[in-house]
Amino acid sequence: MTPSTTRRHHLATLMAGAALAAGLRPAAAQTVPWSSGTERPTLTVPPDATDCHHHIYDARFPAAPGATLRPPDASVADYRLLMRRLGITRHVVVQPSTYGTDNSLLVESVKAFGPTARGIAMLDAAVTPDALKRLDAAGIRGVRFGTRLPGGAPITDMVPVARKIADLGWHIQLVSDGDKIVELSDTLKGMPVPVVFDHMGHLPEPAGPDHPGFRVIAELIDKHGAWVKLTGAYIASKVGPPTYADRGRLARAYVALAPERLVWGTDWPHPTAPADAKPDDAQLLDLLADWVPDAGMRTRILVDNPAGLYGFT
């Protein structure tokens, strides 16, 4: 072995040791349930990178009456595999429509994950102040409302719930199609808490940023402190993987508009995608390199913005 080879070997050993000390595993192919592909992303995420949108499913917990989205189990242990594959250390568990306003599994999951996790619940207008205090202590930081799938509280409960959570510093998370966002614009502008839009506002293709909903969301960001999740590129894309180029056009429009009001997430286990056609989460993460070429801005979206929105310290 030559001296230069020895030095390289020694340096590699030191770097591997440092990675293990930091809790990182050597790069290797890894199978994760409900995620296609096995390779790690090309993009290396910064420390404290945050997945701001994923779900947990467990058949031990009954589905809400009328819920139509009923995926197979996707466990805490399964998601931890994805965290290791992507290099994610913080994350937000989002209550799915499957369980409606019964947040038992959500609370159990956030507790199991520990202080690196936060949660988004589904609640109706009957929720009590004591219940909200318990949820806040459990790491819940917002309430999700939706108009796309059955399950959860009616949209008419959104404003009453927003008034109840305002003092906690929580937000409303909305999963709704672009046309419905336009219809709800006056209501959203009058909300006493910020609104966070799931999946880039579900603005349809090929309109993308030319859809009227983009202008509504832009005004809510500018004047009412709204946020957008750069998630779900696979849901509305007509181009498909690996580039999801049409959704990239929409994502870059949001980045140009207000990078300080954006967060990112996987949407694992991708409940609306067929079991045999799940997206590759490493590819979804690598899209950020194209959408947000500036490394400092990516750190803001992956680390700083989630820290402020969800109260990570």
Side-chain angles (χ1 to χ4, degrees):
M1 184 178 289
T2 66
S4 61
T5 303
T6 302
R7 286 194 295 271
R8 287 197 299 270
H9 176 75
H10 182 60
L11 179 60
T13 301
L14 288 175
M15 291 176 67
L20 290 172
L24 303 177
R25 297 189 174 190
Q30 182 179 35
T31 299
V32 176
W34 315 122
S35 180
S36 68
T38 60
E39 296 302 316
R40 291 179 180 264
T42 302
L43 181 67
T44 300
V45 297
D48 296 327
T50 309
D51 175 358
C52 293
H53 193 106
H54 75 91
H55 310 286
I56 298 295
Y57 294 93
D58 190 327
R60 293 179 300 132
F61 295 80
T68 57
L69 190 62
R70 301 189 180 192
D73 285 4
S75 70
V76 167
D78 292 337
Y79 181 73
R80 284 186 172 133
L81 294 176
L82 184 67
M83 292 178 71
R84 288 198 289 270
R85 181 181 172 200
L86 301 184
I88 297 296
T89 54
R90 292 174 173 173
H91 55 103
V92 181
V93 190
V94 177
Q95 174 79 344
S97 62
T98 305
Y99 304 109
T101 58
D102 180 355
N103 296 283
S104 303
L105 174 58
L106 173 70
V107 171
E108 178 181 291
S109 301
V110 173
K111 181 179 180 181
F113 281 123
T116 61
R118 298 290 186 268
I120 301 298
M122 281 187 168
L123 301 168
D124 58 29
V127 65
T128 66
D130 285 344
L132 289 173
K133 289 178 183 177
R134 290 193 296 271
L135 289 169
D136 188 66
I140 308 306
R141 294 295 180 265
V143 182
R144 191 187 199 203
F145 281 86
T147 62
R148 302 186 74 247
L149 292 168
I155 198 70
T156 51
D157 281 11
M158 184 169 64
V159 172
V161 168
R163 290 177 180 141
K164 290 188 176 188
I165 66 174
D167 289 344
L168 293 170
W170 291 11
H171 59 265
I172 291 292
Q173 182 172 314
L174 181 63
V175 51
S176 194
D177 291 318
D179 290 345
K180 188 65 175 180
I181 289 170
V182 175
E183 180 183 326
L184 291 170
S185 61
D186 288 341
T187 299
L188 297 173
K189 291 171 186 176
M191 295 283 278
V193 298
V195 178
V196 178
F197 291 94
D198 272 10
H199 308 323
M200 295 188 274
H202 274 286
L203 303 184
E205 295 298 341
D210 299 324
H211 189 277
F214 185 85
R215 293 191 294 275
V216 172
I217 293 172
E219 183 178 355
L220 286 163
I221 290 173
D222 181 49
K223 298 181 179 178
H224 303 278
W227 297 78
V228 173
K229 290 189 175 186
L230 298 178
T231 56
Y234 67 95
I235 296 173
S237 176
K238 297 185 182 299
V239 174
T243 65
Y244 302 99
D246 44 358
R247 302 313 273 171
R249 175 173 171 256
L250 176 60
R252 284 190 291 273
Y254 282 123
V255 172
L257 176 72
E260 73 280 2
R261 309 305 291 183
L262 304 178
V263 295
W264 173 88
T266 60
D267 192 36
W268 182 91
H270 316 291
T272 59
D276 61 351
K278 299 292 185 182
D280 183 333
D281 287 284
Q283 285 184 355
L284 294 179
L285 178 55
D286 281 340
L287 293 175
L288 274 181
D290 176 51
W291 297 351
V292 192
D294 180 78
M297 194 176 292
R298 285 199 303 271
T299 296
R300 186 168 194 172
I301 292 169
L302 287 169
V303 181
D304 302 333
N305 292 350
L309 181 59
Y310 299 104
F312 289 109
T313 57

